[in-house]
């Protein structure tokens, strides 16, 4: 790694079996089992702990209802499943080629707000406590923190609008002191950082600034969710998409658009003056994590279709593509025929790897002690290889393709940290990639609002196209969700759902070993150099797990209605 | 409006003043909470007393078969903001999405609270009960910390001073219970009849209903419940009772399709599946995210706070969510 001087990470001596269950600050139920030898992870298993069977529940229902069921896969990455199901049915019946331009723009505006919401909440509320010791701020010098706050806020723009004042920082410090003095720590009870932890290395002033923004972000995220609700009715679980478009006619009025813009302005300020500066400030202290937690292959489906381009993945602002072997100079075109799912190490009966066309699988839960079969998640592979999806994959694919904004902001981050592109292949790179994706989406949103205004000014007031349900059809919908590439596949027979398949980001990332006993991306990342200072408080495992922003409930499977067998249905 | 009472050796009023919150502002806020609870302004002092008391209730929040949307919804509350709720008004000792600790340290926080007793349990998610695995273990489809959700929920609910099931999944089983209910999911009330359980359903519910229920419990005990266990202050009227499109319904003016001129004009959505008349919830009055709700966004109500709404239980078993219900 160029330009980066890793600190010698503290290590635990001897051999330890480490189990983290529940993994907290994620969506859903994940168990990590690791074998640690002399402070390094030498073996690891990532195990999804919940089976819900949503896909079988969908069988025989009306295709138009699918979005409501699939959206309940996940209430954190809300909206994305509703959109993906909607796109799949639109693709099946062909209305994707005729979607009103305003519908595409409004869907993009809601998705943009979802990216802002999800990435901010992830950084501050799900991930930051892996690096920030909240109680560490008790020894912070408030005046010094206020000076630091000015410098940090100027990272992205010279004239930041949001800078924490001395008074605000004092108030935050008092809040933490009050909680600690009360002896009842609530959500900080038994935190790994309590009483000091060798892997937490931030100075007290950085801890205080980050804690101040942790609390501010709790308020800010309310606005991002409200921005989604302006067009989307509510968050979580939007209710405004239908096949053929969207239903929010009032969204075309000045009031709604201006309300969105007001909220967007506040979120944008927070992204530019807090999120990205904090991310880079904290990253500067943890540069050793630029050589930890890397993987090899990456895939993006792209997102934010151009109006009129719903049926064409290449029309998307963020581009689709596949990068194998960390080869930034060679981004391949995504090919749906390359997907296979493996079940050798999942709680299903033995089967050879199958393309979703042909896959049939039977559930076979064994036990928690089973080292061979150990997860409800299957192991999807692309061209036989584990591929990572998510913001880092999006950044790498688009950086490799020379996407102008990704080139600019990836280079900005690398230069700021004084590291080369190879540092991207790491836990730190994954967390930075999320910030970059959020920043680029945030900056682009202005333009999409203007597109909507221009369309309306031209007299285009269409948001929904009526259409008839086909008796038989097949289709696929792709979304690049905040957590990565998501696809829904539908077969329609007698105008009902004959089969429905979700291939979700967290299955790609968190799934177990494949047929060749090779680890999934999260397992690969945890095996890459992860140090463990204290096996009783393995915060290093949380750092890499959280860098994926896992969503375990999305890992749902198909059970055949009549036989009770889990089954992969034929697609396309 | 945001208040953070905080903790410390000084009294609550002093602590509030230190944070620049006048007593007048605080009482105004308490009045809002009282109003949300369906109480008059005279009730505000009781709310103030509950919120500034030094005996914050211990709360544990379990996640079962769910999507975390209910937890997300509570992050959207603004009166109070969630930081005040979880740091000042209650002591949230176990919540997998928010808590800093993980693994054994997290589990210890849960069981220490349960052992101490006198806590409030908030349950999110349905409970899988089907046997599975080599041990034929009931509820093996969902585990946390190596224990089935069924066994953990049983222990937590049996020791709780009160249990609030937050969301339709915990209240009635939810989406994973929809036919054919592959993992034999049950709602909490169905599993533990006779326990003090308050159902706050919705997919997700409005967070005001949870805050109001907690405040009600702190000030006046368990609220009056309807036939399916919901607090009447929040679920006493149907979505339709307060729908701004009611006039179109009364005049038989129904939008025939989402792309129609009638839909653009904001006509009634009953012909496109709106389940508002049979759905008890406060969406049309309280709204979501302080802005909108489904019918305002032109989409029919899907009836998400009714038991087994996924299978159309209150709509003659009609499962199709866009079915013409004008003749129901």
């Amino acid at each position: 790694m160029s330009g980066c001087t890793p600190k010698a990470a503290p290590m635990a001596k001897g051999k330890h079996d480490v189990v983290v269950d529940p993994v907290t600050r994620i969506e859903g139920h994940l168990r990590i089992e690791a074998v640690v030898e002399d402070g390094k992870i030498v073996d690891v298993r990532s195990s999804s702990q919940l089976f819900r069977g949503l896909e079988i529940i969908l069988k025989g229902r009306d295709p138009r209802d699918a979005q409501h069921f699939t959206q309940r896969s996940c209430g954190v990455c809300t909206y994305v499943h509703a959109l993906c199901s909607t796109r799949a049915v639109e693709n099946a019946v062909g209305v994707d080629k005729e979607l009103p331009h305003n519908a595409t723009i409004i869907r993009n505006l809601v998705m943009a707000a979802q990216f802002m919401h999800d990435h901010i909440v992830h950084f501050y509320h799900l991930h930051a406590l892996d690096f920030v010791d909240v109680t560490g701020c008790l020894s912070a010098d408030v005046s010094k923190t206020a000076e630091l706050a000015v410098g940090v806020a100027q990272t992205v723009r010279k004239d930041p609008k949001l800078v924490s004042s001395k008074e605000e920082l004092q108030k935050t410090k008092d809040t933490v002191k009050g909680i600690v003095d009360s002896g009842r720590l609530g959500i900080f009870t038994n935190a790994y950082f309590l009483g000091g932890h060798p892997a937490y290395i931030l100075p007290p002033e950085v801890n205080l600034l980050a804690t101040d923004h942790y609390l501010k972000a709790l308020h800010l995220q309310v606005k991002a969710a409200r921005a989604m609700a302006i067009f989307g009715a509510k968050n979580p679980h939007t209710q405004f998409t239908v096949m053929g478009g969207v239903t929010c006619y009032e969204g075309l009025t000045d009031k709604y658009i201006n309300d969105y813009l007001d909220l967007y302005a506040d979120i944008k300020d927070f992204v530019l003056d807090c999120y990205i500066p904090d991310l880079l400030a904290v990253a500067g202290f943890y540069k050793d994590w630029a050589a930890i937690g890397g993987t090899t292959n990456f895939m993006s489906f792209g997102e934010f279709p151009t109006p009129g381009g719903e049926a064409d993945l290449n029309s998307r602002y963020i581009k689709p593509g596949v990068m194998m072997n960390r080869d930034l100079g060679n981004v391949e075109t995504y090919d749906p025929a390359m997907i296979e799912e493996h079940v050798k190490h999942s709680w299903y009966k033995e089967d050879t790897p199958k393309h979703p066309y042909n896959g049939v699988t039977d559930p076979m839960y064994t036990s928690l002690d089973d080292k061979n079969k150990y997860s409800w998640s299957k192991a999807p592979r692309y061209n036989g290889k584990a591929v990572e999806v998510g913001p880092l994959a999006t950044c790498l694919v688009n950086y490799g393709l020379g996407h102008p904004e990704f080139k600019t902001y990836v280079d900005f981050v690398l230069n700021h940290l004084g590291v080369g592109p190879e540092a991207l292949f790491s836990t730190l790179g994954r967390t930075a990639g999320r910030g970059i994706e959020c920043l680029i989406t945030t900056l682009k949103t202005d333009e999409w609002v203007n597109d909507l205004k221009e369309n309306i000014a031209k007299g285009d007031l269409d948001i929904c196209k009526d259409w008839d349900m086909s008796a038989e059809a097949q289709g696929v919908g792709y979304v690049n969700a905040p957590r990565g590439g998501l696809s829904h596949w539908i077969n329609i027979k007698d105008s009902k759902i004959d089969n429905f398949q979700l291939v979700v980001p967290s299955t790609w990332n968190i799934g177990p070993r494949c047929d060749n006993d090779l680890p999934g991306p999260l397992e690969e990342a945890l095996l890459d150099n992860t140090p463990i200072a204290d096996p009783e408080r393995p915060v290093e495992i949380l750092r890499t797990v959280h860098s994926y922003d896992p969503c375990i409930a999305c890992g749902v499977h198909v059970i055949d209605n009549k036989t009770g067998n889990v089954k992969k249905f034929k697609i396309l | 409006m945001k208040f953070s009472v905080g903790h410390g050796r000084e009294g609550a009023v002093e602590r509030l003043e230190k944070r620049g919150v006048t007593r007048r502002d605080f009482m105004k806020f308490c009045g809002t909470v009282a109003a949300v609870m369906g109480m008059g302004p005279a009730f505000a002092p009781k709310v103030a007393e509950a919120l500034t008391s030094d005996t914050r209730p211990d709360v544990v929040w379990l996640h079962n078969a769910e999507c975390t949307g209910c937890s997300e919804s509570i992050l959207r509350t603004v009166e109070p903001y969630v930081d005040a709720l979880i740091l000042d008004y209650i002591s949230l000792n176990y919540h997998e999405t928010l808590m800093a600790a993980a693994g054994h340290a997290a589990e210890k926080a849960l069981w220490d609270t349960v052992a101490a007793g006198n806590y409030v349990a908030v349950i999110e998610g349905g409970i899988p009960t089907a046997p599975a695995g080599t041990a034929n273990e009931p509820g093996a489809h969902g585990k946390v910390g190596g224990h089935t959700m069924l066994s953990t929920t049983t222990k937590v609910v049996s020791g709780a001073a009160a249990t609030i099931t937050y969301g339709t999944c915990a209240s009635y089983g939810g989406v994973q219970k929809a036919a054919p209910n592959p993992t034999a999911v049950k709602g909490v009330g169905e599993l533990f009849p006779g326990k003090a359980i308050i159902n706050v359903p919705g997919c997700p519910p409005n967070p005001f209903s949870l805050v109001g229920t907690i405040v009600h419990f702190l000030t006046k005990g368990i609220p009056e419940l309807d036939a399916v266990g919901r607090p009447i202050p929040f679920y006493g009227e149907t979505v339709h009772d307060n729908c701004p499109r009611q006039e179109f319904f009364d005049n038989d003016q129904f939008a025939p399709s989402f792309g129609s001129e009638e839909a653009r004009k904001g006509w009634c959505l009953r012909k496109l599946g709106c389940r508002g008349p049979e759905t008890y919830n406060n969406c049309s009055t309280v709204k979501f995210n302080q802005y909108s709700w489904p019918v305002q966004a032109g989409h029919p109500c899907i009836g998400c706070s009714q038991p087994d709404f996924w299978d159309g239980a209150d709509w003659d078993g009609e499962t199709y969510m866009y079915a013409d219900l004008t003749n129901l």
Side-chain angles (χ1 to χ4, degrees):
Chain A
M1 182 173 39
S2 65
C4 173
T5 319
K7 287 170 68 84
M11 300 284 200
K13 295 285 172 223
K15 187 174 173 182
H16 305 268
D17 289 329
V18 175
V19 177
V20 185
D21 180 10
V23 174
T24 50
R25 285 182 279 124
I26 61 166
E27 196 299 320
H29 306 285
L30 178 68
R31 176 184 178 93
I32 300 291
E33 293 184 12
V35 179
V36 177
E37 271 182 23
D38 290 335
K40 291 274 181 191
I41 294 177
V42 295
D43 192 18
V44 68
R45 283 176 176 74
S46 160
S47 168
S48 296
Q49 291 286 304
L50 173 66
F51 175 86
R52 295 204 294 167
L54 285 185
E55 288 155 301
I56 181 52
I57 291 167
L58 281 169
K59 198 173 155 71
R61 294 182 189 257
D62 193 289
R64 289 162 283 195
D65 288 344
Q67 59 158 335
H68 298 297
F69 287 83
T70 61
Q71 182 160 222
R72 273 69 189 183
S73 297
C74 183
V76 178
C77 40
T78 182
Y79 174 49
V80 301
H81 284 283
L83 179 62
C84 202
S85 289
T86 304
R87 282 178 176 168
V89 181
E90 286 171 349
N91 178 248
V93 304
V95 73
D96 54 347
K97 295 176 189 67
E98 302 170 55
L99 209 73
H101 291 194
N102 291 331
T104 297
I105 297 171
I106 289 172
R107 289 177 181 186
N108 284 348
L109 290 178
V110 177
M111 183 60 95
Q114 168 70 356
F115 268 75
M116 296 171 211
H117 182 274
D118 220 48
H119 288 348
I120 290 169
V121 167
H122 177 264
F123 179 72
Y124 286 100
H125 308 123
L126 305 183
H127 201 17
L129 299 182
D130 302 337
F131 300 97
V132 175
D133 174 356
V134 171
T135 55
C137 71
L138 293 179
S139 52
D141 179 320
V142 175
S143 299
K144 268 196 207 164
T145 313
E147 283 166 33
L148 174 78
V150 175
V152 168
Q154 289 174 330
T155 305
V156 178
R157 52 183 182 182
K158 287 285 159 270
D159 195 14
K161 291 185 188 165
L162 302 178
V163 183
S164 295
S165 70
K166 195 178 158 186
E167 292 69 30
E168 289 172 315
L169 292 162
Q170 182 66 50
K171 211 181 271 186
T172 296
K173 188 176 167 180
D174 289 346
T175 297
V176 175
K177 188 168 185 313
I179 293 168
V180 171
D181 283 351
S182 79
R184 298 172 73 200
L185 298 184
I187 58 169
F188 305 121
T189 304
N190 294 353
Y192 287 164
F193 52 69
L194 292 177
H197 188 297
Y200 284 85
I201 57 169
L202 292 180
E205 287 73 24
V206 180
N207 281 322
L208 176 55
L209 183 60
T211 304
D212 184 57
H213 289 173
Y214 175 103
L215 295 174
K216 287 191 170 120
L218 276 175
H219 296 197
L220 189 278
Q221 56 88 24
V222 170
K223 293 186 179 181
R226 191 177 303 147
M228 291 181 74
I230 285 177
F231 302 107
K234 63 193 177 80
N235 164 300
H237 298 335
T238 55
Q239 207 163 311
F240 78 113
T241 44
V242 286
M243 315 314 151
V246 295
T247 60
C248 50
Y249 284 99
E250 287 188 68
L252 299 174
T253 61
D254 286 346
K255 179 188 177 339
Y256 277 56
I257 293 171
N258 289 333
D259 286 346
Y260 181 92
L261 279 173
D262 286 348
L263 293 164
Y264 163 63
D266 290 347
I267 306 161
K268 185 176 168 184
D269 286 343
F270 192 86
V271 170
L272 295 179
D273 299 343
C274 299
Y275 175 22
I276 304 303
D278 289 351
L279 169 64
L280 293 175
V282 172
F285 288 94
Y286 287 100
K287 280 193 200 171
D288 47 339
W289 284 83
I292 296 167
T295 64
T296 312
N297 309 308
F298 303 88
M299 178 169 75
S300 161
F301 290 152
E303 194 45 80
F304 303 111
T306 302
E310 285 270 352
D312 175 17
L313 283 189
N314 290 313
S315 92
R316 296 180 173 193
Y317 168 62
I318 293 175
K319 298 297 174 195
V322 180
M323 177 185 294
M324 305 304 275
N325 301 313
R326 300 190 178 190
D327 187 353
L328 282 164
N330 182 23
V331 175
E332 302 168 17
T333 304
Y334 161 71
D335 176 0
M338 293 286 190
I339 298 179
E340 280 181 334
E341 292 206 285
H342 301 217
V343 296
K344 183 177 173 186
H345 294 285
S346 309
W347 280 314
Y348 304 97
K349 282 185 188 162
E350 290 302 325
D351 201 356
T352 51
K354 292 269 165 66
H355 185 273
Y357 266 132
N358 309 314
V360 178
T361 331
D362 292 330
M364 194 180 69
Y365 180 68
T366 55
S367 76
L368 265 192
D369 303 327
D370 192 337
K371 301 288 179 220
N372 186 41
K373 286 184 171 290
Y374 60 90
S375 180
W376 283 116
S377 179
K378 294 186 178 183
R381 293 293 183 264
Y382 185 86
N383 199 15
K385 299 284 169 44
V387 299
E388 173 173 337
V389 297
L392 175 58
T394 300
C395 284
L396 289 169
V397 164
N398 283 272
Y399 190 71
L401 287 169
H403 187 295
E405 285 87 356
F406 278 91
K407 193 92 184 69
T408 300
Y409 291 105
V410 170
D411 284 339
F412 164 74
V413 166
L414 294 176
N415 290 337
H416 185 90
L417 294 175
V419 296
E422 64 280 3
L424 292 167
F425 300 95
S426 68
T427 293
L428 195 65
R430 204 169 288 117
T431 297
R434 187 168 292 106
I436 293 165
E437 184 180 87
C438 185
L439 176 62
I440 289 170
T441 305
T442 304
L443 293 172
K444 187 74 178 174
T445 300
D446 253 337
E447 219 174 284
W448 292 325
V449 177
N450 282 334
D451 290 347
L452 181 62
K453 285 180 174 172
E454 278 175 24
N455 262 0
I456 295 167
K458 279 189 299 195
D460 176 2
L461 301 176
D462 281 349
I463 61 169
C464 192
K465 180 167 175 56
D466 289 332
W467 55 282
D468 294 320
M469 175 59 74
S470 309
E472 298 212 7
Q474 289 178 321
V476 58
Y478 293 103
V479 168
N480 217 68
R483 285 167 182 76
L486 167 68
S487 55
H488 287 187
W489 311 75
I490 188 170
N491 260 5
I492 298 169
K493 199 173 167 189
D494 299 330
S495 302
K496 301 285 185 205
I497 296 171
D498 188 46
N499 59 65
F500 201 100
Q501 167 92 30
L502 303 90
V503 185
V504 308
S506 292
T507 314
W508 285 105
N509 288 336
I510 310 302
R513 288 161 172 72
C514 67
D515 226 40
N516 298 319
D517 305 325
L518 296 172
L522 171 63
E523 294 175 333
E524 182 187 353
L526 285 168
L527 287 166
D528 180 37
N529 226 4
T530 305
I532 301 289
D534 178 356
E536 293 296 314
R537 299 183 294 166
V539 65
E540 300 88 346
I541 289 177
L542 294 186
R543 284 178 184 166
T544 294
V545 172
H546 286 152
S547 73
Y548 282 97
D549 193 4
C551 177
I552 309 306
C554 289
V556 289
H557 304 274
V558 190
I559 308 181
D560 181 271
N561 202 353
K562 287 174 191 151
T563 63
N565 292 338
V566 169
K567 178 173 179 178
K568 285 292 181 195
F569 291 97
K570 190 178 157 192
I571 51 162
L572 287 183
Chain B
M1 200 187 308
K2 181 217 178 262
F3 293 105
S4 180
V5 183
H7 317 290
R9 294 184 184 85
E10 301 150 316
V13 173
E14 287 77 12
R15 278 182 271 133
L16 276 167
E17 278 169 0
K18 211 169 156 190
R19 286 153 189 260
V21 179
T22 65
R23 183 164 174 80
R24 193 163 166 266
D25 285 343
F26 181 64
M27 291 312 294
K28 196 173 151 202
F29 162 73
C30 294
T32 308
V33 174
V36 170
M37 290 166 60
M39 306 292 166
F43 194 63
K46 283 218 81 164
V47 173
E49 192 189 321
L51 295 183
T52 54
S53 108
D54 283 337
T55 53
R56 285 175 294 156
D58 285 313
V59 176
V60 298
W61 184 307
L62 298 186
H63 287 81
N64 295 311
E66 44 79 35
C67 74
T68 315
C70 293
S71 285
E72 283 282 334
S73 82
I74 204 69
L75 289 179
R76 313 289 183 263
T77 176
V78 296
E79 286 178 343
Y81 273 104
V82 68
D83 55 330
L85 176 71
I86 65 175
L87 296 175
D88 296 348
Y89 304 154
I90 64 176
S91 183
L92 185 60
N93 298 350
Y94 184 84
H95 186 295
E96 287 161 29
T97 322
L98 291 171
M99 69 191 302
H104 301 308
E107 281 220 278
K108 188 173 181 320
L110 171 63
W111 297 120
D112 284 352
T113 305
V114 170
N118 198 31
Y119 58 90
V120 176
V122 179
I123 314 288
E124 178 174 353
I127 323 289
T129 65
T134 45
N136 214 27
E137 184 183 15
H141 290 106
K143 291 191 177 184
V144 179
H147 314 291
T148 62
M149 293 161 178
L150 178 62
S151 68
T152 299
T153 305
T154 302
K155 287 176 195 158
V156 168
V157 169
S158 58
T163 297
I164 299 171
T165 58
Y166 188 56
T168 297
C169 293
S171 296
Y172 310 122
V175 64
Q176 49 276 316
K177 191 191 170 194
N181 192 4
T183 56
V185 166
K186 291 184 176 174
V188 175
E190 194 183 349
L191 272 173
F192 309 106
K195 288 279 168 202
I197 291 168
I198 309 167
N199 289 334
V200 182
C203 194
N206 198 306
F208 282 87
S209 302
L210 180 65
V211 175
T213 299
I214 290 175
V215 172
H216 199 293
F217 176 73
L218 294 180
T219 52
K220 295 169 61 95
I222 292 179
E224 190 188 349
L225 307 176
D226 71 7
V228 287
R230 299 175 292 201
I232 287 176
F234 316 112
Y235 296 89
E237 293 179 300
T238 67
V239 165
H240 178 74
D241 286 338
N242 297 294
C243 181
R245 299 189 183 203
Q246 212 179 63
E247 198 181 327
F248 295 108
F249 177 90
D250 294 340
N251 294 332
D252 285 341
Q253 291 175 304
F254 302 109
S257 72
F258 292 108
S260 65
E261 274 310 300
E262 292 84 351
R264 181 185 304 281
K265 287 184 206 155
W267 284 23
C268 177
L269 299 168
R270 184 69 163 171
K271 207 180 183 65
L272 294 169
C274 188
R275 293 170 167 186
E278 295 81 14
T279 302
Y280 289 83
N281 208 340
N282 52 10
C283 311
S284 45
T285 50
V286 179
K287 297 192 177 183
F288 288 90
N289 310 92
Q290 303 80 49
Y291 202 90
S292 188
W293 64 292
V295 171
Q296 184 176 328
H299 193 286
C301 163
I302 62 170
C304 73
S305 55
Q306 294 301 116
D308 299 326
F309 77 95
W310 292 104
D311 291 326
D314 288 316
W315 295 274
D316 285 348
E318 172 60 69
T319 60
Y320 178 39
M321 290 187 176
Y322 299 96
D324 180 355
L325 297 179
T326 51
N327 293 319
L328 195 70

